[in-house]
Amino acid sequence: TKGNTARGTVTFTQKGDKVVVRADVTGLTPGGHGFHVHEKGDCSAPDGMSAGGHFNPGGHPHGHPHKGPHHAGDMPMLETDAYGNAKLVAVLPGLTFEGASGILGKGVIVHAAPDDFKTQPTGNAGARMACGVIVKR
Ligand code: CU
Ligand code: ZN
């Protein structure tokens, strides 16, 4: 997004009946960064707001993907090293490639601040530093 240096690759793969995400992102400020699948695959706005809110086909509250109720698009946050590089591999319950909870054509957002996994409906993760669209390859 405008004014930010964050960039990287996020890959979703099918493993059995689950979706696994692999993220490799650089150019972040050191620390935690909220990381979600958002409802629209639209990165046209300079601030990334065109991607809409968190992908939430089930109408759930925001939360941690591995603890209790959560948006389908909620993912563990990115944690950087001292240089602002982040790597993440995580299983994502509740996401699929096809159907109502399908991620193809949706957005991916990396935020400026950590996700508290509590504040509704955003996790208080702040501005959007990077935006991507999920496409099939
Ligand atoms: Cu987000
Ligand atoms: Zn959420």
Side-chain angles (χ1 to χ4, degrees):
T1 56
K2 195 171 181 207
N4 292 302
T5 55
R7 60 180 59 245
T9 307
V10 180
T11 308
F12 297 89
T13 51
Q14 185 92 40
K15 197 170 183 198
D17 61 348
K18 300 205 165 66
V19 170
V20 176
V21 63
R22 283 179 180 73
D24 198 339
V25 181
T26 63
L28 295 166
T29 51
H33 293 269
F35 182 50
H36 318 112
V37 174
H38 280 239
E39 60 188 343
K40 293 180 201 150
D42 180 353
C43 296
S44 60
D47 61 0
M49 292 305 287
S50 49
H54 298 183
F55 180 42
N56 184 24
H60 298 298
H62 178 69
H64 192 285
H66 300 155
K67 285 172 224 150
H70 57 89
H71 300 142
D74 292 341
M75 298 190 280
M77 73 174 126
L78 299 177
E79 306 267 8
T80 75
D81 62 16
Y83 306 100
N85 303 316
K87 280 188 201 299
L88 172 75
V89 179
V91 174
L92 303 172
L95 286 182
T96 57
F97 285 96
E98 317 258 320
S101 53
I103 56 173
L104 291 176
K106 302 296 188 292
V108 178
I109 294 283
V110 178
H111 290 271
D115 189 333
D116 66 12
F117 297 112
K118 214 160 65 180
T119 303
Q120 300 302 326
T122 61
N124 199 29
R128 302 175 180 196
M129 296 188 84
C131 182
V133 179
I134 303 171
V135 296
K136 193 168 185 173
R137 296 186 63 181

Short mmCIF file of all heavy atoms in Angstrom, two decimals, residues 36-38 53-56 60-63 70-75 115 117 119-123, ligand 2:
data_model
loop_
_atom_site.label_atom_id
_atom_site.label_comp_id
_atom_site.label_asym_id
_atom_site.label_seq_id
_atom_site.Cartn_x
_atom_site.Cartn_y
_atom_site.Cartn_z
N HIS A 36 -4.78 -11.27 7.66
CA HIS A 36 -6.11 -11.85 7.46
C HIS A 36 -6.42 -12.03 5.98
O HIS A 36 -5.92 -11.29 5.14
CB HIS A 36 -7.22 -10.91 8.00
CG HIS A 36 -6.92 -10.28 9.31
ND1 HIS A 36 -6.71 -8.94 9.46
CD2 HIS A 36 -6.79 -10.83 10.54
CE1 HIS A 36 -6.45 -8.67 10.74
NE2 HIS A 36 -6.50 -9.81 11.42
N VAL A 37 -7.34 -12.96 5.71
CA VAL A 37 -8.02 -12.99 4.41
C VAL A 37 -9.18 -12.00 4.53
O VAL A 37 -9.96 -12.06 5.48
CB VAL A 37 -8.53 -14.40 4.08
CG1 VAL A 37 -9.35 -14.38 2.79
CG2 VAL A 37 -7.37 -15.38 3.98
N HIS A 38 -9.27 -11.08 3.58
CA HIS A 38 -10.34 -10.09 3.57
C HIS A 38 -11.36 -10.42 2.49
O HIS A 38 -11.07 -11.18 1.56
CB HIS A 38 -9.76 -8.68 3.38
CG HIS A 38 -9.19 -8.10 4.66
ND1 HIS A 38 -9.63 -6.93 5.20
CD2 HIS A 38 -8.22 -8.55 5.49
CE1 HIS A 38 -8.96 -6.68 6.33
NE2 HIS A 38 -8.09 -7.64 6.52
N GLY A 53 -13.75 -5.81 4.83
CA GLY A 53 -13.46 -6.36 6.16
C GLY A 53 -12.94 -7.78 6.09
O GLY A 53 -12.71 -8.32 5.00
N HIS A 54 -12.76 -8.38 7.23
CA HIS A 54 -12.28 -9.76 7.29
C HIS A 54 -13.28 -10.68 6.62
O HIS A 54 -14.50 -10.51 6.77
CB HIS A 54 -12.10 -10.21 8.74
CG HIS A 54 -11.09 -9.42 9.51
ND1 HIS A 54 -10.74 -9.71 10.80
CD2 HIS A 54 -10.34 -8.35 9.14
CE1 HIS A 54 -9.82 -8.85 11.20
NE2 HIS A 54 -9.57 -8.01 10.23
N PHE A 55 -12.79 -11.67 5.87
CA PHE A 55 -13.66 -12.65 5.23
C PHE A 55 -14.39 -13.44 6.33
O PHE A 55 -13.76 -14.09 7.16
CB PHE A 55 -12.81 -13.57 4.35
CG PHE A 55 -13.58 -14.63 3.63
CD1 PHE A 55 -14.80 -14.35 3.02
CD2 PHE A 55 -13.08 -15.92 3.53
CE1 PHE A 55 -15.51 -15.33 2.34
CE2 PHE A 55 -13.77 -16.91 2.85
CZ PHE A 55 -14.98 -16.61 2.26
N ASN A 56 -15.71 -13.35 6.31
CA ASN A 56 -16.51 -13.86 7.43
C ASN A 56 -17.83 -14.46 6.95
O ASN A 56 -18.91 -13.99 7.31
CB ASN A 56 -16.75 -12.72 8.42
CG ASN A 56 -17.47 -13.17 9.67
OD1 ASN A 56 -17.42 -14.35 10.03
ND2 ASN A 56 -18.14 -12.24 10.34
N HIS A 60 -19.27 -14.95 12.20
CA HIS A 60 -18.68 -15.15 13.53
C HIS A 60 -17.99 -13.88 14.01
O HIS A 60 -17.69 -12.99 13.22
CB HIS A 60 -17.65 -16.28 13.47
CG HIS A 60 -18.24 -17.60 13.09
ND1 HIS A 60 -19.19 -18.23 13.85
CD2 HIS A 60 -18.04 -18.39 12.01
CE1 HIS A 60 -19.52 -19.37 13.28
NE2 HIS A 60 -18.86 -19.49 12.13
N PRO A 61 -17.69 -13.79 15.32
CA PRO A 61 -16.87 -12.67 15.80
C PRO A 61 -15.40 -12.87 15.42
O PRO A 61 -14.99 -14.00 15.11
CB PRO A 61 -17.04 -12.74 17.33
CG PRO A 61 -17.44 -14.14 17.62
CD PRO A 61 -18.17 -14.65 16.40
N HIS A 62 -14.64 -11.78 15.46
CA HIS A 62 -13.20 -11.87 15.22
C HIS A 62 -12.53 -12.65 16.34
O HIS A 62 -12.93 -12.54 17.50
CB HIS A 62 -12.61 -10.45 15.14
CG HIS A 62 -11.13 -10.44 14.95
ND1 HIS A 62 -10.53 -10.85 13.78
CD2 HIS A 62 -10.12 -10.12 15.79
CE1 HIS A 62 -9.22 -10.75 13.91
NE2 HIS A 62 -8.94 -10.31 15.12
N GLY A 63 -11.49 -13.41 16.01
CA GLY A 63 -10.79 -14.17 17.03
C GLY A 63 -9.56 -14.84 16.47
O GLY A 63 -9.16 -14.59 15.33
N HIS A 70 -14.18 -17.50 15.41
CA HIS A 70 -13.32 -16.57 14.66
C HIS A 70 -13.86 -16.43 13.25
O HIS A 70 -14.59 -17.31 12.77
CB HIS A 70 -11.88 -17.06 14.62
CG HIS A 70 -11.73 -18.44 14.03
ND1 HIS A 70 -11.54 -18.66 12.69
CD2 HIS A 70 -11.82 -19.66 14.60
CE1 HIS A 70 -11.48 -19.95 12.47
NE2 HIS A 70 -11.66 -20.59 13.60
N HIS A 71 -13.50 -15.34 12.59
CA HIS A 71 -13.79 -15.20 11.16
C HIS A 71 -13.04 -16.29 10.40
O HIS A 71 -11.90 -16.62 10.76
CB HIS A 71 -13.29 -13.84 10.64
CG HIS A 71 -13.91 -12.65 11.32
ND1 HIS A 71 -13.19 -11.52 11.60
CD2 HIS A 71 -15.17 -12.44 11.73
CE1 HIS A 71 -14.01 -10.63 12.17
NE2 HIS A 71 -15.21 -11.17 12.27
N ALA A 72 -13.62 -16.78 9.33
CA ALA A 72 -12.90 -17.77 8.51
C ALA A 72 -11.57 -17.21 8.04
O ALA A 72 -10.58 -17.92 7.92
CB ALA A 72 -13.76 -18.16 7.31
N GLY A 73 -11.52 -15.90 7.80
CA GLY A 73 -10.30 -15.27 7.28
C GLY A 73 -9.26 -14.90 8.32
O GLY A 73 -8.21 -14.36 7.98
N ASP A 74 -9.52 -15.17 9.58
CA ASP A 74 -8.54 -14.84 10.62
C ASP A 74 -7.37 -15.81 10.56
O ASP A 74 -7.56 -17.03 10.51
CB ASP A 74 -9.18 -14.89 12.01
CG ASP A 74 -10.20 -13.79 12.22
OD1 ASP A 74 -10.15 -12.79 11.47
OD2 ASP A 74 -11.03 -13.92 13.14
N MET A 75 -6.16 -15.27 10.59
CA MET A 75 -4.95 -16.10 10.55
C MET A 75 -4.04 -15.69 11.70
O MET A 75 -4.19 -14.59 12.25
CB MET A 75 -4.22 -15.90 9.21
CG MET A 75 -5.06 -16.31 8.00
SD MET A 75 -4.13 -16.36 6.45
CE MET A 75 -4.10 -14.62 5.99
N ASP A 115 -2.34 -8.06 15.99
CA ASP A 115 -3.75 -8.44 16.15
C ASP A 115 -3.95 -8.85 17.60
O ASP A 115 -3.25 -9.74 18.09
CB ASP A 115 -4.04 -9.61 15.20
CG ASP A 115 -5.51 -9.97 15.11
OD1 ASP A 115 -6.25 -9.73 16.06
OD2 ASP A 115 -5.90 -10.52 14.06
N PHE A 117 -6.66 -10.22 18.65
CA PHE A 117 -7.60 -11.35 18.54
C PHE A 117 -8.84 -11.16 19.42
O PHE A 117 -9.52 -12.12 19.75
CB PHE A 117 -6.89 -12.68 18.86
CG PHE A 117 -5.78 -12.99 17.90
CD1 PHE A 117 -4.46 -12.99 18.32
CD2 PHE A 117 -6.05 -13.26 16.57
CE1 PHE A 117 -3.43 -13.25 17.42
CE2 PHE A 117 -5.04 -13.53 15.65
CZ PHE A 117 -3.72 -13.53 16.10
N THR A 119 -10.49 -7.38 19.88
CA THR A 119 -11.24 -6.20 19.45
C THR A 119 -12.08 -6.54 18.22
O THR A 119 -11.59 -7.15 17.27
CB THR A 119 -10.28 -5.04 19.11
OG1 THR A 119 -9.46 -4.79 20.25
CG2 THR A 119 -11.04 -3.78 18.74
N GLN A 120 -13.37 -6.15 18.25
CA GLN A 120 -14.30 -6.44 17.14
C GLN A 120 -14.46 -5.23 16.24
O GLN A 120 -14.56 -4.11 16.75
CB GLN A 120 -15.65 -6.85 17.71
CG GLN A 120 -15.60 -8.09 18.59
CD GLN A 120 -15.04 -9.30 17.87
OE1 GLN A 120 -15.26 -9.47 16.66
NE2 GLN A 120 -14.32 -10.13 18.59
N PRO A 121 -14.55 -5.45 14.92
CA PRO A 121 -14.35 -6.73 14.22
C PRO A 121 -12.96 -6.85 13.61
O PRO A 121 -12.76 -7.65 12.71
CB PRO A 121 -15.41 -6.65 13.12
CG PRO A 121 -15.40 -5.19 12.73
CD PRO A 121 -15.04 -4.41 14.00
N THR A 122 -12.00 -6.06 14.09
CA THR A 122 -10.73 -5.92 13.35
C THR A 122 -9.52 -6.49 14.07
O THR A 122 -8.45 -6.63 13.46
CB THR A 122 -10.43 -4.43 13.12
OG1 THR A 122 -10.31 -3.81 14.42
CG2 THR A 122 -11.53 -3.76 12.34
N GLY A 123 -9.60 -6.76 15.39
CA GLY A 123 -8.40 -7.13 16.12
C GLY A 123 -7.49 -5.95 16.39
O GLY A 123 -6.38 -6.11 16.89
ZN ZN B 2 -11.24 -11.27 11.91
#
